[in-house]
């Protein structure tokens, strides 16, 4: 299996590790990406390509799949706010971002608490869970106390981190050597 990487492969790496899948990491540097050959093979001109449906991480039926899509959209909204702060407003906006973070995390907390399974949708990890987990790991580096008032999310991160294959992956040198952000800010 090939997994091409740019900046958004964290959740996919975690999901593949948890699913016991092996992959070959091919890092695409910006200059090669801008040549356009690889980009032209991607429907929306973006990497990584979605793997959730191929690895039983997309719910048990259409209703769960729709809810997973909704959760993925919510995680992506949070990720985009985080990325904007990291790359455009870090020096002037970090404190404001951290102060406002509970207003974004509370929605995930409510969904997680209501589901009562420890996952966003259904009773096993979906791609939305892997995506949220990866985003929360980044936020814990940004602000180690950001989940202190969100018991369901805090428990979720602990539960996902303790899954044997995820734990092995997170403890690996390959994972530890990956930068969180391309500009070195965290």
């Amino acid at each position: 299996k090939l997994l091409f990487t740019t900046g958004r492969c964290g959740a996919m790496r975690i999901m593949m590790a948890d699913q016991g899948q092996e992959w070959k990491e091919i890092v695409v540097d910006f200059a090669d990406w801008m040549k356009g050959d690889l980009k032209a093979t991607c429907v929306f001109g973006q990497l990584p390509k979605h793997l959730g449906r191929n690895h039983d991480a997309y719910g048990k039926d259409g209703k769960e799949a729709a809810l997973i899509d909704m959760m993925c959209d919510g995680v992506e909204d949070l990720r985009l706010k985080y990325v904007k702060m990291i790359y455009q407003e870090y020096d002037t906006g970090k404190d404001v971002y951290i102060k406002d973070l509970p207003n974004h995390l509370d929605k995930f907390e409510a969904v997680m608490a209501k589901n009562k399974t420890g996952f966003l949708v259904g009773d096993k990890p979906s791609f939305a869970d892997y995506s949220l987990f990866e985003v929360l790991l980044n936020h814990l580096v940004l602000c180690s106390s950001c989940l202190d008032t969100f018991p369901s999310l805090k428990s979720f991160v602990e539960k996902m981190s303790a899954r044997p294959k995820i734990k092995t992956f997170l403890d690996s040198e390959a994972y530890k050597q990956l930068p969180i952000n391309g500009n070195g800010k965290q």
Side-chain angles (χ1 to χ4, degrees):
K1 293 183 174 35
L2 297 178
L3 182 61
F4 298 94
T5 67
T6 59
R8 295 185 174 183
C9 278
M12 288 174 51
R13 287 182 185 109
I14 292 167
M15 182 184 80
M16 297 291 282
D18 193 38
Q19 298 284 327
Q21 299 295 311
E22 292 184 13
W23 67 92
K24 180 179 178 185
E25 188 98 14
I26 299 174
V27 177
V28 180
D29 67 33
F30 187 72
D32 288 340
W33 178 252
M34 293 311 293
K35 289 178 187 172
D37 297 337
L38 177 60
K39 188 173 185 173
T41 69
C42 302
V43 176
F44 294 104
Q46 296 181 351
L47 289 172
K49 296 180 180 179
H50 200 290
L51 297 172
R53 290 180 195 220
N54 296 340
H55 295 284
D56 196 29
Y58 206 58
K60 68 180 180 210
D61 56 28
K63 182 180 178 183
E64 282 192 3
L67 291 171
I68 289 166
D69 285 342
M70 184 176 73
M71 291 295 104
C72 282
D73 289 345
V75 172
E76 186 61 14
D77 288 346
L78 179 57
R79 182 188 314 277
L80 290 174
K81 289 175 179 132
Y82 170 81
V83 166
K84 181 179 180 187
M85 182 275 301
I86 288 290
Y87 287 96
Q88 298 173 9
E89 303 168 349
Y90 187 82
D91 295 328
T92 59
K94 178 182 174 186
D95 292 338
V96 172
Y97 180 87
I98 291 170
K99 184 178 180 184
D100 193 43
L101 188 57
N103 295 322
H104 303 291
L105 295 179
D106 63 354
K107 287 129 183 100
F108 296 108
E109 174 71 16
V111 169
M112 193 79 65
K114 183 178 179 184
N115 193 25
K116 295 185 179 14
T117 64
F119 302 111
L120 289 168
V121 178
D123 58 2
K124 63 182 179 179
S126 70
F127 187 73
D129 292 297
Y130 294 112
S131 189
L132 178 62
F133 176 61
E134 188 263 340
V135 166
L136 292 177
L137 289 178
N138 291 347
H139 279 81
L140 285 166
V141 172
L142 179 71
C143 175
S144 62
S145 62
C146 71
L147 298 182
D148 287 356
T149 58
F150 299 100
S152 295
L153 291 177
K154 192 171 189 174
S155 174
F156 167 73
V157 169
E158 291 167 357
K159 179 179 180 177
M160 291 293 282
S161 296
R163 291 176 66 88
K165 292 175 185 171
I166 291 178
K167 181 175 178 0
T168 298
F169 177 68
L170 295 178
D171 289 342
S172 73
E173 286 304 312
Y175 176 78
K176 290 177 183 178
Q177 291 176 3
L178 293 171
I180 294 174
N181 301 300
N183 65 357
K185 295 180 179 176
Q186 42 188 354

